[in-house]
Each structure stands twice: as structure tokens, then as C-alpha cells.
């Protein structure tokens, strides 16, 4: 299981192209162990952050 996660997470992390993506990665990496919640809560929280960023006019694309 851990090998499968690392096998997909590492290539995805290497493919990051925008500076804001690193911030999202750091937030998720901090949220998951600190909150002791599932991945779904992290995804929903980061999705809400992306919606707010889009509404205030930040470039999210």
C-alpha cells in the first residue's frame, strides 16, 4: 500500500508547474497528520480554498 502511494505521489509532485501548487501540497501534508482525518476532508478543504481564491481573482489555472 505504501509503495503504491509513493509510486503515484512522487511523479505527481515532480509534475507541479505553478508555485501555488507547492503551497497546496504543504497544506495537505500538514493537515493530514495534524487533523487525523481522512483524505476526503483535506480534498474538500483545499477545494474550498481554491473556490475562494478564484472568487477573489487569483489565477488558479
Amino acid at each position: 500500500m505504501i509503495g503504491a502511494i509513493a509510486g503515484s505521489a512522487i511523479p505527481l509532485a515532480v509534475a507541479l508547474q505553478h508555485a501555488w501548487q507547492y503551497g497546496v501540497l504543504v497544506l495537505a501534508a500538514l493537515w493530514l497528520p495534524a487533523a487525523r482525518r481522512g483524505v476526503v476532508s483535506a480534498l474538500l478543504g483545499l477545494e474550498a480554498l481554491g473556490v475562494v481564491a478564484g472568487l477573489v481573482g487569483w489565477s488558479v489555472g
Side-chain angles (χ1 to χ4, degrees):
M1 181 83 158
I2 300 298
I5 293 171
S8 62
I10 292 171
L12 288 173
V14 171
L16 299 179
Q17 297 178 354
H18 303 284
W20 62 266
Q21 291 173 320
Y22 293 102
V24 170
L25 180 64
V26 169
L27 282 174
L30 294 173
W31 169 261
L32 291 171
R36 296 186 159 267
R37 309 238 11 203
V39 174
V40 174
S41 66
L43 291 174
L44 290 174
L46 293 171
E47 176 186 7
L49 181 64
V51 169
V52 170
L55 289 174
V56 298
W58 291 358
S59 175
V60 294

